[in-house]
Amino acid sequence: MKLLNPRGFGLACATVTVGLGLVVAGCASTVEGTATVNQADATSYKAEAAASSTAAAASKAAAAQAKAVTDNCDPFRATTGTAVDRYNDFVDAHDGQTADQADKREAAANALDDAAKTVEGRVNASGADLATDLAQKFTDYIGAARGLAAEVRKMTNSSSVGPLNDASHKVNDALNAVRNACPAR
């Protein structure tokens, strides 16, 4: 059996001790001074972050507005077209004093009320995403259509057509205002 070589063991212990001393000395050094922020870099970063956030918000708002316009303008002609057709059918029946005049009167009034309700539902669903001026044009149509429906329901063979014609002109003006405000498709 061989004994430990004291010289080799001493050399190994000395090497380990010197290595540990160097590690401890390297980790124990400090850097003098105070940590500070690079103001130019921080300001640049904040400006870029704000610009990016603003651009993202503007893009999101523009997309929501475009969707609101599409959701309201695209179906408007079809929605109101049926009401116009039923109203014209009633006017023809009234002028001709046909036997189905009462049925056509009710169909016209219901179609006008339905169109107003449908348009109102879409405007309300769009909320603040729909531009205020365009929302007002739709709202004007809603009121005019309901007004015409009320006048249609009042009509008999002996009724004056003046109020009906006035209400009809309001609907036509409101229809044209919306159509002119909506983008051409």
Side-chain angles (χ1 to χ4, degrees), residues 71-96:
D71 289 352
N72 285 276
C73 288
D74 285 0
F76 184 76
R77 290 184 195 277
T79 300
T80 59
T82 300
V84 169
D85 290 344
R86 295 301 81 77
Y87 175 73
N88 288 336
D89 291 344
F90 163 69
V91 169
D92 291 342
H94 180 268
D95 290 348

mmCIF file with all atom_site columns, all heavy atoms in Angstrom, residues 71-96:
data_model
loop_
_atom_site.group_PDB
_atom_site.id
_atom_site.type_symbol
_atom_site.label_atom_id
_atom_site.label_alt_id
_atom_site.label_comp_id
_atom_site.label_asym_id
_atom_site.label_entity_id
_atom_site.label_seq_id
_atom_site.pdbx_PDB_ins_code
_atom_site.Cartn_x
_atom_site.Cartn_y
_atom_site.Cartn_z
_atom_site.occupancy
_atom_site.B_iso_or_equiv
_atom_site.pdbx_formal_charge
_atom_site.auth_seq_id
_atom_site.auth_comp_id
_atom_site.auth_asym_id
_atom_site.auth_atom_id
_atom_site.pdbx_PDB_model_num
ATOM 1   N N   . ASP A 1 71 ? -71.535  48.138 -42.081 1.00 0.00 ? 71 ASP A N   1
ATOM 2   C CA  . ASP A 1 71 ? -72.679  47.476 -41.445 1.00 0.00 ? 71 ASP A CA  1
ATOM 3   C C   . ASP A 1 71 ? -73.974  48.274 -41.601 1.00 0.00 ? 71 ASP A C   1
ATOM 4   O O   . ASP A 1 71 ? -75.056  47.698 -41.561 1.00 0.00 ? 71 ASP A O   1
ATOM 5   C CB  . ASP A 1 71 ? -72.413  47.250 -39.953 1.00 0.00 ? 71 ASP A CB  1
ATOM 6   C CG  . ASP A 1 71 ? -71.378  46.170 -39.698 1.00 0.00 ? 71 ASP A CG  1
ATOM 7   O OD1 . ASP A 1 71 ? -70.973  45.484 -40.663 1.00 0.00 ? 71 ASP A OD1 1
ATOM 8   O OD2 . ASP A 1 71 ? -70.953  46.022 -38.534 1.00 0.00 ? 71 ASP A OD2 1
ATOM 9   N N   . ASN A 1 72 ? -73.867  49.591 -41.758 1.00 0.00 ? 72 ASN A N   1
ATOM 10  C CA  . ASN A 1 72 ? -75.066  50.423 -41.870 1.00 0.00 ? 72 ASN A CA  1
ATOM 11  C C   . ASN A 1 72 ? -75.381  50.803 -43.311 1.00 0.00 ? 72 ASN A C   1
ATOM 12  O O   . ASN A 1 72 ? -76.546  50.777 -43.709 1.00 0.00 ? 72 ASN A O   1
ATOM 13  C CB  . ASN A 1 72 ? -74.912  51.682 -41.014 1.00 0.00 ? 72 ASN A CB  1
ATOM 14  C CG  . ASN A 1 72 ? -75.076  51.379 -39.544 1.00 0.00 ? 72 ASN A CG  1
ATOM 15  O OD1 . ASN A 1 72 ? -76.187  51.327 -39.044 1.00 0.00 ? 72 ASN A OD1 1
ATOM 16  N ND2 . ASN A 1 72 ? -73.975  51.148 -38.848 1.00 0.00 ? 72 ASN A ND2 1
ATOM 17  N N   . CYS A 1 73 ? -74.387  51.175 -44.072 1.00 0.00 ? 73 CYS A N   1
ATOM 18  C CA  . CYS A 1 73 ? -74.631  51.657 -45.434 1.00 0.00 ? 73 CYS A CA  1
ATOM 19  C C   . CYS A 1 73 ? -74.964  50.542 -46.420 1.00 0.00 ? 73 CYS A C   1
ATOM 20  O O   . CYS A 1 73 ? -75.871  50.697 -47.239 1.00 0.00 ? 73 CYS A O   1
ATOM 21  C CB  . CYS A 1 73 ? -73.420  52.447 -45.935 1.00 0.00 ? 73 CYS A CB  1
ATOM 22  S SG  . CYS A 1 73 ? -73.238  54.073 -45.152 1.00 0.00 ? 73 CYS A SG  1
ATOM 23  N N   . ASP A 1 74 ? -74.223  49.446 -46.343 1.00 0.00 ? 74 ASP A N   1
ATOM 24  C CA  . ASP A 1 74 ? -74.426  48.380 -47.338 1.00 0.00 ? 74 ASP A CA  1
ATOM 25  C C   . ASP A 1 74 ? -75.858  47.833 -47.352 1.00 0.00 ? 74 ASP A C   1
ATOM 26  O O   . ASP A 1 74 ? -76.449  47.705 -48.420 1.00 0.00 ? 74 ASP A O   1
ATOM 27  C CB  . ASP A 1 74 ? -73.420  47.250 -47.131 1.00 0.00 ? 74 ASP A CB  1
ATOM 28  C CG  . ASP A 1 74 ? -72.021  47.618 -47.615 1.00 0.00 ? 74 ASP A CG  1
ATOM 29  O OD1 . ASP A 1 74 ? -71.828  48.750 -48.102 1.00 0.00 ? 74 ASP A OD1 1
ATOM 30  O OD2 . ASP A 1 74 ? -71.112  46.779 -47.484 1.00 0.00 ? 74 ASP A OD2 1
ATOM 31  N N   . PRO A 1 75 ? -76.453  47.525 -46.193 1.00 0.00 ? 75 PRO A N   1
ATOM 32  C CA  . PRO A 1 75 ? -77.811  46.964 -46.242 1.00 0.00 ? 75 PRO A CA  1
ATOM 33  C C   . PRO A 1 75 ? -78.913  48.031 -46.326 1.00 0.00 ? 75 PRO A C   1
ATOM 34  O O   . PRO A 1 75 ? -80.085  47.680 -46.469 1.00 0.00 ? 75 PRO A O   1
ATOM 35  C CB  . PRO A 1 75 ? -77.921  46.183 -44.934 1.00 0.00 ? 75 PRO A CB  1
ATOM 36  C CG  . PRO A 1 75 ? -76.994  46.870 -44.003 1.00 0.00 ? 75 PRO A CG  1
ATOM 37  C CD  . PRO A 1 75 ? -75.873  47.396 -44.853 1.00 0.00 ? 75 PRO A CD  1
ATOM 38  N N   . PHE A 1 76 ? -78.562  49.302 -46.273 1.00 0.00 ? 76 PHE A N   1
ATOM 39  C CA  . PHE A 1 76 ? -79.577  50.360 -46.203 1.00 0.00 ? 76 PHE A CA  1
ATOM 40  C C   . PHE A 1 76 ? -80.505  50.356 -47.408 1.00 0.00 ? 76 PHE A C   1
ATOM 41  O O   . PHE A 1 76 ? -81.718  50.438 -47.264 1.00 0.00 ? 76 PHE A O   1
ATOM 42  C CB  . PHE A 1 76 ? -78.909  51.736 -46.048 1.00 0.00 ? 76 PHE A CB  1
ATOM 43  C CG  . PHE A 1 76 ? -79.884  52.858 -45.876 1.00 0.00 ? 76 PHE A CG  1
ATOM 44  C CD1 . PHE A 1 76 ? -80.531  53.048 -44.669 1.00 0.00 ? 76 PHE A CD1 1
ATOM 45  C CD2 . PHE A 1 76 ? -80.157  53.728 -46.921 1.00 0.00 ? 76 PHE A CD2 1
ATOM 46  C CE1 . PHE A 1 76 ? -81.445  54.086 -44.500 1.00 0.00 ? 76 PHE A CE1 1
ATOM 47  C CE2 . PHE A 1 76 ? -81.061  54.768 -46.769 1.00 0.00 ? 76 PHE A CE2 1
ATOM 48  C CZ  . PHE A 1 76 ? -81.705  54.942 -45.550 1.00 0.00 ? 76 PHE A CZ  1
ATOM 49  N N   . ARG A 1 77 ? -79.944  50.266 -48.593 1.00 0.00 ? 77 ARG A N   1
ATOM 50  C CA  . ARG A 1 77 ? -80.780  50.313 -49.804 1.00 0.00 ? 77 ARG A CA  1
ATOM 51  C C   . ARG A 1 77 ? -81.787  49.161 -49.836 1.00 0.00 ? 77 ARG A C   1
ATOM 52  O O   . ARG A 1 77 ? -82.960  49.359 -50.151 1.00 0.00 ? 77 ARG A O   1
ATOM 53  C CB  . ARG A 1 77 ? -79.916  50.287 -51.057 1.00 0.00 ? 77 ARG A CB  1
ATOM 54  C CG  . ARG A 1 77 ? -79.139  51.558 -51.274 1.00 0.00 ? 77 ARG A CG  1
ATOM 55  C CD  . ARG A 1 77 ? -78.366  51.516 -52.592 1.00 0.00 ? 77 ARG A CD  1
ATOM 56  N NE  . ARG A 1 77 ? -77.351  52.540 -52.664 1.00 0.00 ? 77 ARG A NE  1
ATOM 57  C CZ  . ARG A 1 77 ? -77.571  53.798 -53.026 1.00 0.00 ? 77 ARG A CZ  1
ATOM 58  N NH1 . ARG A 1 77 ? -78.777  54.187 -53.320 1.00 0.00 ? 77 ARG A NH1 1
ATOM 59  N NH2 . ARG A 1 77 ? -76.591  54.668 -53.067 1.00 0.00 ? 77 ARG A NH2 1
ATOM 60  N N   . ALA A 1 78 ? -81.339  47.972 -49.512 1.00 0.00 ? 78 ALA A N   1
ATOM 61  C CA  . ALA A 1 78 ? -82.250  46.815 -49.532 1.00 0.00 ? 78 ALA A CA  1
ATOM 62  C C   . ALA A 1 78 ? -83.312  46.946 -48.440 1.00 0.00 ? 78 ALA A C   1
ATOM 63  O O   . ALA A 1 78 ? -84.490  46.667 -48.676 1.00 0.00 ? 78 ALA A O   1
ATOM 64  C CB  . ALA A 1 78 ? -81.463  45.523 -49.352 1.00 0.00 ? 78 ALA A CB  1
ATOM 65  N N   . THR A 1 79 ? -82.877  47.372 -47.260 1.00 0.00 ? 79 THR A N   1
ATOM 66  C CA  . THR A 1 79 ? -83.811  47.510 -46.136 1.00 0.00 ? 79 THR A CA  1
ATOM 67  C C   . THR A 1 79 ? -84.890  48.533 -46.447 1.00 0.00 ? 79 THR A C   1
ATOM 68  O O   . THR A 1 79 ? -86.073  48.289 -46.217 1.00 0.00 ? 79 THR A O   1
ATOM 69  C CB  . THR A 1 79 ? -83.045  47.936 -44.864 1.00 0.00 ? 79 THR A CB  1
ATOM 70  O OG1 . THR A 1 79 ? -82.081  46.930 -44.563 1.00 0.00 ? 79 THR A OG1 1
ATOM 71  C CG2 . THR A 1 79 ? -83.978  48.126 -43.683 1.00 0.00 ? 79 THR A CG2 1
ATOM 72  N N   . THR A 1 80 ? -84.489  49.667 -46.973 1.00 0.00 ? 80 THR A N   1
ATOM 73  C CA  . THR A 1 80 ? -85.456  50.734 -47.240 1.00 0.00 ? 80 THR A CA  1
ATOM 74  C C   . THR A 1 80 ? -86.174  50.526 -48.565 1.00 0.00 ? 80 THR A C   1
ATOM 75  O O   . THR A 1 80 ? -87.280  51.035 -48.749 1.00 0.00 ? 80 THR A O   1
ATOM 76  C CB  . THR A 1 80 ? -84.767  52.106 -47.235 1.00 0.00 ? 80 THR A CB  1
ATOM 77  O OG1 . THR A 1 80 ? -83.729  52.123 -48.227 1.00 0.00 ? 80 THR A OG1 1
ATOM 78  C CG2 . THR A 1 80 ? -84.182  52.407 -45.861 1.00 0.00 ? 80 THR A CG2 1
ATOM 79  N N   . GLY A 1 81 ? -85.576  49.783 -49.464 1.00 0.00 ? 81 GLY A N   1
ATOM 80  C CA  . GLY A 1 81 ? -86.191  49.540 -50.768 1.00 0.00 ? 81 GLY A CA  1
ATOM 81  C C   . GLY A 1 81 ? -87.521  48.828 -50.663 1.00 0.00 ? 81 GLY A C   1
ATOM 82  O O   . GLY A 1 81 ? -88.488  49.161 -51.363 1.00 0.00 ? 81 GLY A O   1
ATOM 83  N N   . THR A 1 82 ? -87.601  47.862 -49.779 1.00 0.00 ? 82 THR A N   1
ATOM 84  C CA  . THR A 1 82 ? -88.857  47.144 -49.573 1.00 0.00 ? 82 THR A CA  1
ATOM 85  C C   . THR A 1 82 ? -89.938  48.095 -49.069 1.00 0.00 ? 82 THR A C   1
ATOM 86  O O   . THR A 1 82 ? -91.092  48.042 -49.528 1.00 0.00 ? 82 THR A O   1
ATOM 87  C CB  . THR A 1 82 ? -88.650  45.992 -48.565 1.00 0.00 ? 82 THR A CB  1
ATOM 88  O OG1 . THR A 1 82 ? -87.661  45.114 -49.094 1.00 0.00 ? 82 THR A OG1 1
ATOM 89  C CG2 . THR A 1 82 ? -89.932  45.229 -48.317 1.00 0.00 ? 82 THR A CG2 1
ATOM 90  N N   . ALA A 1 83 ? -89.574  48.974 -48.136 1.00 0.00 ? 83 ALA A N   1
ATOM 91  C CA  . ALA A 1 83 ? -90.544  49.939 -47.602 1.00 0.00 ? 83 ALA A CA  1
ATOM 92  C C   . ALA A 1 83 ? -91.025  50.886 -48.697 1.00 0.00 ? 83 ALA A C   1
ATOM 93  O O   . ALA A 1 83 ? -92.221  51.200 -48.781 1.00 0.00 ? 83 ALA A O   1
ATOM 94  C CB  . ALA A 1 83 ? -89.925  50.726 -46.453 1.00 0.00 ? 83 ALA A CB  1
ATOM 95  N N   . VAL A 1 84 ? -90.112  51.331 -49.548 1.00 0.00 ? 84 VAL A N   1
ATOM 96  C CA  . VAL A 1 84 ? -90.479  52.217 -50.659 1.00 0.00 ? 84 VAL A CA  1
ATOM 97  C C   . VAL A 1 84 ? -91.436  51.496 -51.607 1.00 0.00 ? 84 VAL A C   1
ATOM 98  O O   . VAL A 1 84 ? -92.457  52.063 -52.036 1.00 0.00 ? 84 VAL A O   1
ATOM 99  C CB  . VAL A 1 84 ? -89.223  52.714 -51.403 1.00 0.00 ? 84 VAL A CB  1
ATOM 100 C CG1 . VAL A 1 84 ? -89.597  53.409 -52.704 1.00 0.00 ? 84 VAL A CG1 1
ATOM 101 C CG2 . VAL A 1 84 ? -88.400  53.641 -50.513 1.00 0.00 ? 84 VAL A CG2 1
ATOM 102 N N   . ASP A 1 85 ? -91.133  50.250 -51.916 1.00 0.00 ? 85 ASP A N   1
ATOM 103 C CA  . ASP A 1 85 ? -92.013  49.475 -52.815 1.00 0.00 ? 85 ASP A CA  1
ATOM 104 C C   . ASP A 1 85 ? -93.413  49.311 -52.226 1.00 0.00 ? 85 ASP A C   1
ATOM 105 O O   . ASP A 1 85 ? -94.415  49.496 -52.933 1.00 0.00 ? 85 ASP A O   1
ATOM 106 C CB  . ASP A 1 85 ? -91.404  48.093 -53.094 1.00 0.00 ? 85 ASP A CB  1
ATOM 107 C CG  . ASP A 1 85 ? -90.157  48.160 -53.957 1.00 0.00 ? 85 ASP A CG  1
ATOM 108 O OD1 . ASP A 1 85 ? -89.904  49.206 -54.593 1.00 0.00 ? 85 ASP A OD1 1
ATOM 109 O OD2 . ASP A 1 85 ? -89.415  47.147 -53.981 1.00 0.00 ? 85 ASP A OD2 1
ATOM 110 N N   . ARG A 1 86 ? -93.490  48.951 -50.939 1.00 0.00 ? 86 ARG A N   1
ATOM 111 C CA  . ARG A 1 86 ? -94.811  48.786 -50.303 1.00 0.00 ? 86 ARG A CA  1
ATOM 112 C C   . ARG A 1 86 ? -95.560  50.120 -50.241 1.00 0.00 ? 86 ARG A C   1
ATOM 113 O O   . ARG A 1 86 ? -96.780  50.162 -50.442 1.00 0.00 ? 86 ARG A O   1
ATOM 114 C CB  . ARG A 1 86 ? -94.677  48.225 -48.880 1.00 0.00 ? 86 ARG A CB  1
ATOM 115 C CG  . ARG A 1 86 ? -94.130  46.820 -48.733 1.00 0.00 ? 86 ARG A CG  1
ATOM 116 C CD  . ARG A 1 86 ? -94.909  45.710 -49.422 1.00 0.00 ? 86 ARG A CD  1
ATOM 117 N NE  . ARG A 1 86 ? -94.654  45.570 -50.835 1.00 0.00 ? 86 ARG A NE  1
ATOM 118 C CZ  . ARG A 1 86 ? -93.583  45.010 -51.396 1.00 0.00 ? 86 ARG A CZ  1
ATOM 119 N NH1 . ARG A 1 86 ? -92.619  44.534 -50.658 1.00 0.00 ? 86 ARG A NH1 1
ATOM 120 N NH2 . ARG A 1 86 ? -93.469  44.934 -52.711 1.00 0.00 ? 86 ARG A NH2 1
ATOM 121 N N   . TYR A 1 87 ? -94.841  51.211 -49.991 1.00 0.00 ? 87 TYR A N   1
ATOM 122 C CA  . TYR A 1 87 ? -95.481  52.534 -49.963 1.00 0.00 ? 87 TYR A CA  1
ATOM 123 C C   . TYR A 1 87 ? -96.026  52.885 -51.349 1.00 0.00 ? 87 TYR A C   1
ATOM 124 O O   . TYR A 1 87 ? -97.165  53.346 -51.477 1.00 0.00 ? 87 TYR A O   1
ATOM 125 C CB  . TYR A 1 87 ? -94.495  53.601 -49.486 1.00 0.00 ? 87 TYR A CB  1
ATOM 126 C CG  . TYR A 1 87 ? -95.081  54.990 -49.561 1.00 0.00 ? 87 TYR A CG  1
ATOM 127 C CD1 . TYR A 1 87 ? -96.053  55.406 -48.654 1.00 0.00 ? 87 TYR A CD1 1
ATOM 128 C CD2 . TYR A 1 87 ? -94.688  55.877 -50.562 1.00 0.00 ? 87 TYR A CD2 1
ATOM 129 C CE1 . TYR A 1 87 ? -96.617  56.674 -48.744 1.00 0.00 ? 87 TYR A CE1 1
ATOM 130 C CE2 . TYR A 1 87 ? -95.243  57.144 -50.649 1.00 0.00 ? 87 TYR A CE2 1
ATOM 131 C CZ  . TYR A 1 87 ? -96.210  57.537 -49.734 1.00 0.00 ? 87 TYR A CZ  1
ATOM 132 O OH  . TYR A 1 87 ? -96.775  58.789 -49.820 1.00 0.00 ? 87 TYR A OH  1
ATOM 133 N N   . ASN A 1 88 ? -95.241  52.655 -52.384 1.00 0.00 ? 88 ASN A N   1
ATOM 134 C CA  . ASN A 1 88 ? -95.693  52.948 -53.745 1.00 0.00 ? 88 ASN A CA  1
ATOM 135 C C   . ASN A 1 88 ? -96.895  52.077 -54.126 1.00 0.00 ? 88 ASN A C   1
ATOM 136 O O   . ASN A 1 88 ? -97.818  52.552 -54.808 1.00 0.00 ? 88 ASN A O   1
ATOM 137 C CB  . ASN A 1 88 ? -94.555  52.775 -54.745 1.00 0.00 ? 88 ASN A CB  1
ATOM 138 C CG  . ASN A 1 88 ? -93.522  53.882 -54.620 1.00 0.00 ? 88 ASN A CG  1
ATOM 139 O OD1 . ASN A 1 88 ? -93.815  54.988 -54.147 1.00 0.00 ? 88 ASN A OD1 1
ATOM 140 N ND2 . ASN A 1 88 ? -92.294  53.598 -55.026 1.00 0.00 ? 88 ASN A ND2 1
ATOM 141 N N   . ASP A 1 89 ? -96.907  50.821 -53.684 1.00 0.00 ? 89 ASP A N   1
ATOM 142 C CA  . ASP A 1 89 ? -98.066  49.951 -53.923 1.00 0.00 ? 89 ASP A CA  1
ATOM 143 C C   . ASP A 1 89 ? -99.312  50.549 -53.264 1.00 0.00 ? 89 ASP A C   1
ATOM 144 O O   . ASP A 1 89 ? -100.397 50.550 -53.851 1.00 0.00 ? 89 ASP A O   1
ATOM 145 C CB  . ASP A 1 89 ? -97.824  48.544 -53.366 1.00 0.00 ? 89 ASP A CB  1
ATOM 146 C CG  . ASP A 1 89 ? -96.763  47.772 -54.132 1.00 0.00 ? 89 ASP A CG  1
ATOM 147 O OD1 . ASP A 1 89 ? -96.409  48.179 -55.265 1.00 0.00 ? 89 ASP A OD1 1
ATOM 148 O OD2 . ASP A 1 89 ? -96.277  46.751 -53.579 1.00 0.00 ? 89 ASP A OD2 1
ATOM 149 N N   . PHE A 1 90 ? -99.151  51.053 -52.052 1.00 0.00 ? 90 PHE A N   1
ATOM 150 C CA  . PHE A 1 90 ? -100.280 51.667 -51.353 1.00 0.00 ? 90 PHE A CA  1
ATOM 151 C C   . PHE A 1 90 ? -100.766 52.918 -52.079 1.00 0.00 ? 90 PHE A C   1
ATOM 152 O O   . PHE A 1 90 ? -101.974 53.112 -52.257 1.00 0.00 ? 90 PHE A O   1
ATOM 153 C CB  . PHE A 1 90 ? -99.914  52.021 -49.907 1.00 0.00 ? 90 PHE A CB  1
ATOM 154 C CG  . PHE A 1 90 ? -100.865 53.004 -49.295 1.00 0.00 ? 90 PHE A CG  1
ATOM 155 C CD1 . PHE A 1 90 ? -102.175 52.638 -49.012 1.00 0.00 ? 90 PHE A CD1 1
ATOM 156 C CD2 . PHE A 1 90 ? -100.478 54.309 -49.040 1.00 0.00 ? 90 PHE A CD2 1
ATOM 157 C CE1 . PHE A 1 90 ? -103.074 53.559 -48.476 1.00 0.00 ? 90 PHE A CE1 1
ATOM 158 C CE2 . PHE A 1 90 ? -101.360 55.229 -48.508 1.00 0.00 ? 90 PHE A CE2 1
ATOM 159 C CZ  . PHE A 1 90 ? -102.663 54.854 -48.228 1.00 0.00 ? 90 PHE A CZ  1
ATOM 160 N N   . VAL A 1 91 ? -99.844  53.776 -52.507 1.00 0.00 ? 91 VAL A N   1
ATOM 161 C CA  . VAL A 1 91 ? -100.236 55.015 -53.208 1.00 0.00 ? 91 VAL A CA  1
ATOM 162 C C   . VAL A 1 91 ? -101.016 54.662 -54.465 1.00 0.00 ? 91 VAL A C   1
ATOM 163 O O   . VAL A 1 91 ? -102.064 55.271 -54.746 1.00 0.00 ? 91 VAL A O   1
ATOM 164 C CB  . VAL A 1 91 ? -98.999  55.887 -53.527 1.00 0.00 ? 91 VAL A CB  1
ATOM 165 C CG1 . VAL A 1 91 ? -99.356  57.021 -54.476 1.00 0.00 ? 91 VAL A CG1 1
ATOM 166 C CG2 . VAL A 1 91 ? -98.396  56.430 -52.239 1.00 0.00 ? 91 VAL A CG2 1
ATOM 167 N N   . ASP A 1 92 ? -100.540 53.669 -55.216 1.00 0.00 ? 92 ASP A N   1
ATOM 168 C CA  . ASP A 1 92 ? -101.269 53.239 -56.421 1.00 0.00 ? 92 ASP A CA  1
ATOM 169 C C   . ASP A 1 92 ? -102.667 52.733 -56.063 1.00 0.00 ? 92 ASP A C   1
ATOM 170 O O   . ASP A 1 92 ? -103.647 53.068 -56.742 1.00 0.00 ? 92 ASP A O   1
ATOM 171 C CB  . ASP A 1 92 ? -100.489 52.146 -57.163 1.00 0.00 ? 92 ASP A CB  1
ATOM 172 C CG  . ASP A 1 92 ? -99.204  52.659 -57.804 1.00 0.00 ? 92 ASP A CG  1
ATOM 173 O OD1 . ASP A 1 92 ? -99.076  53.890 -57.979 1.00 0.00 ? 92 ASP A OD1 1
ATOM 174 O OD2 . ASP A 1 92 ? -98.331  51.822 -58.114 1.00 0.00 ? 92 ASP A OD2 1
ATOM 175 N N   . ALA A 1 93 ? -102.765 51.958 -55.001 1.00 0.00 ? 93 ALA A N   1
ATOM 176 C CA  . ALA A 1 93 ? -104.071 51.417 -54.591 1.00 0.00 ? 93 ALA A CA  1
ATOM 177 C C   . ALA A 1 93 ? -104.982 52.550 -54.098 1.00 0.00 ? 93 ALA A C   1
ATOM 178 O O   . ALA A 1 93 ? -106.187 52.563 -54.400 1.00 0.00 ? 93 ALA A O   1
ATOM 179 C CB  . ALA A 1 93 ? -103.887 50.374 -53.496 1.00 0.00 ? 93 ALA A CB  1
ATOM 180 N N   . HIS A 1 94 ? -104.427 53.496 -53.376 1.00 0.00 ? 94 HIS A N   1
ATOM 181 C CA  . HIS A 1 94 ? -105.218 54.618 -52.867 1.00 0.00 ? 94 HIS A CA  1
ATOM 182 C C   . HIS A 1 94 ? -105.704 55.477 -54.026 1.00 0.00 ? 94 HIS A C   1
ATOM 183 O O   . HIS A 1 94 ? -106.882 55.854 -54.084 1.00 0.00 ? 94 HIS A O   1
ATOM 184 C CB  . HIS A 1 94 ? -104.403 55.453 -51.881 1.00 0.00 ? 94 HIS A CB  1
ATOM 185 C CG  . HIS A 1 94 ? -105.158 56.612 -51.321 1.00 0.00 ? 94 HIS A CG  1
ATOM 186 N ND1 . HIS A 1 94 ? -105.128 57.865 -51.890 1.00 0.00 ? 94 HIS A ND1 1
ATOM 187 C CD2 . HIS A 1 94 ? -105.986 56.705 -50.250 1.00 0.00 ? 94 HIS A CD2 1
ATOM 188 C CE1 . HIS A 1 94 ? -105.903 58.680 -51.198 1.00 0.00 ? 94 HIS A CE1 1
ATOM 189 N NE2 . HIS A 1 94 ? -106.437 58.004 -50.181 1.00 0.00 ? 94 HIS A NE2 1
ATOM 190 N N   . ASP A 1 95 ? -104.785 55.805 -54.926 1.00 0.00 ? 95 ASP A N   1
ATOM 191 C CA  . ASP A 1 95 ? -105.162 56.644 -56.062 1.00 0.00 ? 95 ASP A CA  1
ATOM 192 C C   . ASP A 1 95 ? -106.203 55.945 -56.948 1.00 0.00 ? 95 ASP A C   1
ATOM 193 O O   . ASP A 1 95 ? -107.099 56.592 -57.477 1.00 0.00 ? 95 ASP A O   1
ATOM 194 C CB  . ASP A 1 95 ? -103.934 57.016 -56.895 1.00 0.00 ? 95 ASP A CB  1
ATOM 195 C CG  . ASP A 1 95 ? -103.006 57.986 -56.162 1.00 0.00 ? 95 ASP A CG  1
ATOM 196 O OD1 . ASP A 1 95 ? -103.418 58.534 -55.113 1.00 0.00 ? 95 ASP A OD1 1
ATOM 197 O OD2 . ASP A 1 95 ? -101.875 58.181 -56.643 1.00 0.00 ? 95 ASP A OD2 1
ATOM 198 N N   . GLY A 1 96 ? -106.058 54.643 -57.087 1.00 0.00 ? 96 GLY A N   1
ATOM 199 C CA  . GLY A 1 96 ? -106.991 53.877 -57.915 1.00 0.00 ? 96 GLY A CA  1
ATOM 200 C C   . GLY A 1 96 ? -108.210 53.413 -57.140 1.00 0.00 ? 96 GLY A C   1
ATOM 201 O O   . GLY A 1 96 ? -109.107 52.804 -57.714 1.00 0.00 ? 96 GLY A O   1
#
